Amino acid sequence: MRYLMMGVFFAIVAPLAFARAIPDPAQKHAPGNEAPQKPIAQAGYGAAVNYQLQCAGCHLDDGSGSAANDTPNMKGFVGNFLKVEGGREFLVRVPGASQSAMNNAQLADLMNWIMHKDGIAGKSVPDDFKPYTEEEVASVRHQVMLDLPGVRRGLIERMRAQHLAIEDGVSR
Ligand code: HEC
């Protein structure tokens, strides 16, 4: 009986507790916050902010990623893709990059920011790295990769053939 009454009590209280999370349709914007949010492609944020907003959720602040979530380590490693055939395009074609809300110029800017010697790619950036341009990003971005893991495996094999250390956190 005691349990039954507790059950009835929670059955009444629980919906009220959940109801607090339901937005009020008549709610007004906070003063000064009435303008609709600008789309990312028009917001004019710098690369570091775009990285925080659109990449760091999975890749983490320092680019170290998370093996548990199959997100590779980019820190001190991602520049190695520039040393193998097909790798340069691959980095722009991965869904996280190609399908982000940024325009082509912003995505090029962000890739170049990642490729700094004192940035995420660090020591892995090749000395002859040529920055990505808006035009280059535009031309490869929408080439869909049907077999991403297969393409990536092939690129990692090419790195191994060059005796590069595979410090991506996800390959064994
Ligand atoms: C929802 C999680 C997620 C977000 C957000 C995300 N990525 Fe990724 N990223 C991944 C995963 C997982 C991989 C591994 C390949 C795959 O499955 O796409 C990856 C792979 C990559 C790679 C290739 C590295 C490698 O070793 O294969 C690059 C470069 C990359 N992401 C850049 C970015 C950039 C730049 C952004 C932000 C604009 C971004 N990603 C946003 C999850 C994410």
Side-chain angles (χ1 to χ4, degrees):
M1 185 64 189
R2 215 165 107 217
Y3 289 116
L4 180 68
M5 288 188 41
M6 271 169 67
V8 171
F9 174 75
F10 284 120
I12 294 170
V13 167
L16 294 174
F18 282 122
R20 288 165 55 89
I22 298 172
D24 172 4
Q27 190 174 354
K28 303 251 184 328
H29 290 287
N33 214 9
E34 294 86 358
Q37 200 182 357
K38 264 204 183 130
I40 288 279
Q42 293 159 27
Y45 297 132
V49 172
N50 278 332
Y51 181 82
Q52 281 298 323
L53 291 176
Q54 303 188 60
C55 321
C58 297
H59 287 280
L60 305 193
D61 281 3
D62 64 352
S64 56
S66 154
N69 295 319
D70 286 332
T71 307
N73 168 47
M74 296 203 284
K75 196 176 154 193
F77 178 75
V78 72
N80 288 323
F81 284 96
L82 301 170
K83 299 172 185 165
V84 295
E85 201 199 320
R88 189 176 165 106
E89 303 87 280
F90 171 77
L91 298 181
V92 177
R93 291 172 66 203
V94 292
S98 65
Q99 295 176 24
S100 72
M102 282 173 288
N103 62 35
N104 296 328
Q106 289 166 327
L107 184 51
D109 215 29
L110 177 60
M111 296 315 290
N112 297 334
W113 178 83
I114 288 173
M115 291 304 165
H116 271 290
K117 287 266 186 204
D118 54 0
I120 289 178
K123 63 177 168 50
S124 64
V125 183
D127 292 330
D128 60 353
F129 169 59
K130 292 198 187 49
Y132 285 91
T133 62
E134 178 180 359
E135 293 71 30
E136 179 184 5
V137 167
S139 68
V140 296
R141 180 176 187 170
H142 298 295
Q143 294 172 12
V144 177
M145 238 185 308
L146 293 179
D147 177 19
L148 188 153
V151 172
R152 189 175 190 282
R153 259 197 312 277
L155 297 170
I156 296 287
E157 277 315 305
R158 280 175 208 161
M159 286 181 208
R160 284 195 211 280
Q162 291 187 30
H163 306 291
L164 295 168
I166 309 302
E167 298 161 337
D168 65 353
V170 291
S171 297
R172 260 160 288 140

